[in-house]
């Protein structure tokens, strides 16, 4: 619960800093750069180092990959019908196709499924959500923000994405034990991600600038909070025939609001920042209403 309170406090602080003009108008650019280059890589290296992969958890890890693929396909078709711009389409793919499986997801798992199931959430988050963001997510961001950029330039941008480099380093370093000072330093840097990201989102969140965004926002949140979880639940329960506790926790994670990291990557690439800020701010708020209902449905299926 403390993590959830922190999310809202930082969101409000960001809005307050913008309203009082305590920070420059482009302060979110520096915040986003620190998150992508420092906070997120530190968190990935620390968390991946302690991951213990088990065969029965492969379906859980596959969930974020499946959700992102569904999101890319859904928003690509939707954009052609509704004539969304490239920036809006890319923003919806990143903000609507990735779930907040860590900062909201882990506390919610503890609250509705018990602390013993948080290990499943960590694996989903690190080998699922963050790995998707570091590979497919950055590829989508590069393509939809590219304009006339060459394929070589896009490929270079993907390969030099700091979280992806951190992920590779994390796997290489897995056999080695970290000294306490290294683990402590990584933890302290990684802990800055959530507060800084929410301050950045709050700083960019402008409810008075929803003109032209209402349709995209409704479609994005409708997919993230309703359509995607239902489709994935149908696949897991009906097609795959899996219904254990691990599966229910996995599907619960699918119902989380938009991922903060995905929104930051989208904003950094100029993919409709006002829309992704609204997706995160409104989406996380709404998820506190939809998640109890989703948990009830999963416990009674």
């Amino acid at each position: 619960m403390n993590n959830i309170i922190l999310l809202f406090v930082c969101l409000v602080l960001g809005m307050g800093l913008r309203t009082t003009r305590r920070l420059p108008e482009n302060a979110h650019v520096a915040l986003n750069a620190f998150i992508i280059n420092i906070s997120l890589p530190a968190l990935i290296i620390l968390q991946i180092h302690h991951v213990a992969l088990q065969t029965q958890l492969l379906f859980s890890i596959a969930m974020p990959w499946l959700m992102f693929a569904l999101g890319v396909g859904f928003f690509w078709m939707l954009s052609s019908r509704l004539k969304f711009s490239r920036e809006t389409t890319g923003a919806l793919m990143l903000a609507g196709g990735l779930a907040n499986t860590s900062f909201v997801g882990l506390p919610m798992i503890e609250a509705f499924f018990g602390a013993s199931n948080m290990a499943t959430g960590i694996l989903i988050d690190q080998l699922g959500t963050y790995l998707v963001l570091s590979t497919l997510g950055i590829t989508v961001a590069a393509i939809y923000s590219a304009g006339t950029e060459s394929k070589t330039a896009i490929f270079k941008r993907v390969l030099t994405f700091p979280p992806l480099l951190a992920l590779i380093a994390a796997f290489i370093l897995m056999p080695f034990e970290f000294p306490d000072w290294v683990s402590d330093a990584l933890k302290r840097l990684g802990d800055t991600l959530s507060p800084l990201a929410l301050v950045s989102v709050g700083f960019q969140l402008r409810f008075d600038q929803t003109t032209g965004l209402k349709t995209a926002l409704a479609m994005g949140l409708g997919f993230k909070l309703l359509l995607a979880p239902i489709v994935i639940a149908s696949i897991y329960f009906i097609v795959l025939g899996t219904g254990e506790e691990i599966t229910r926790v996995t599907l619960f994670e699918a119902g989380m609001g938009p991922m903060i990291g995905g929104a930051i990557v989208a904003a950094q690439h100029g993919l409709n920042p006002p829309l992704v800020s609204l997706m995160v701010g409104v989406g996380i708020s709404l998820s506190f209403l939809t998640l109890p209902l989703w948990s009830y449905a999963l416990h009674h299926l």
Side-chain angles (χ1 to χ4, degrees):
M1 186 58 68
N2 290 341
N3 284 0
I4 295 169
I5 294 173
L6 176 65
L7 292 178
F8 279 104
V9 169
C10 291
L11 191 67
V12 172
L13 285 174
M15 296 170 66
L17 287 171
R18 186 199 72 242
T19 302
T20 58
R21 300 183 184 277
R22 295 283 183 177
L23 295 178
E25 278 294 315
N26 63 344
H28 61 279
V29 176
L31 291 173
N32 292 350
F34 185 89
I35 291 164
I36 294 298
N37 290 281
I38 305 295
S39 305
L40 186 51
L43 183 67
I44 288 173
I45 291 174
L46 181 66
Q47 294 294 339
I48 289 294
H49 192 258
H50 301 292
V51 162
L53 184 60
Q54 303 175 30
T55 306
Q56 61 264 39
L57 291 170
L58 291 178
F59 282 129
S60 298
I61 295 169
M63 182 276 292
W65 296 86
L66 176 59
M67 177 183 291
F68 191 75
L70 289 172
V72 169
F74 177 79
F75 292 120
W76 179 76
M77 290 188 294
L78 192 68
S79 66
S80 63
R81 283 181 170 273
L82 298 181
K83 308 301 181 184
F84 288 152
S85 66
R86 288 175 58 88
E87 291 78 12
T88 296
T89 303
L92 288 172
M93 289 176 178
L94 282 165
L98 293 166
N100 196 320
T101 52
S102 55
F103 304 113
V104 175
L106 295 180
M108 284 296 185
I109 288 176
E110 184 177 16
F112 287 93
F113 289 87
S116 60
N117 285 296
M118 289 181 68
T120 301
I122 291 173
L123 284 174
I124 292 171
D125 186 56
Q126 297 302 315
L127 296 184
T129 307
Y130 274 119
L131 190 52
V132 172
L133 175 62
S134 300
T135 53
L136 302 182
I138 183 60
T139 301
V140 166
I143 291 173
Y144 278 87
S145 67
T148 58
E149 197 171 27
S150 67
K151 292 181 179 179
T152 302
I154 294 173
F155 187 62
K156 182 180 179 181
R157 194 192 299 186
V158 172
L159 287 183
T160 56
F161 185 52
L164 178 59
L165 297 177
L167 193 66
I168 295 170
F171 282 119
I172 294 173
L173 294 171
M174 283 183 75
F176 305 100
E177 190 67 29
F178 286 164
D180 290 342
W181 67 269
V182 172
S183 297
D184 185 61
L186 289 172
K187 183 180 185 305
R188 288 174 181 271
L189 289 172
D191 285 346
T192 64
L193 190 150
S194 185
L196 285 181
L198 263 296
V199 168
S200 176
V201 168
F203 192 82
Q204 298 173 81
L205 189 59
R206 298 173 185 267
F207 292 106
D208 59 337
Q209 293 185 359
T210 58
T211 304
L213 299 178
K214 293 178 182 177
T215 300
L217 180 64
M219 292 298 175
L221 293 180
F223 174 84
K224 180 68 218 61
L225 298 177
L226 294 175
L227 181 59
I230 290 173
V231 171
I232 291 174
S234 300
I235 293 172
Y236 275 62
F237 282 135
I238 299 173
V239 179
L240 300 178
T242 57
E244 312 78 16
E245 183 79 351
I246 289 177
T247 301
R248 296 176 194 276
V249 172
T250 300
L251 298 178
F252 187 60
E253 283 274 60
M256 298 297 156
M259 181 193 187
I260 300 169
I264 294 297
V265 170
Q268 193 184 46
H269 284 78
L271 299 178
N272 203 332
L275 175 60
V276 294
S277 296
L278 286 168
M279 283 283 290
V280 171
V282 178
I284 289 177
S285 301
L286 285 178
S287 70
F288 291 113
L289 300 176
T290 60
L291 286 173
L293 299 176
W294 187 229
S295 172
Y296 178 85
L298 291 171
H299 278 101
H300 290 82
L301 284 174

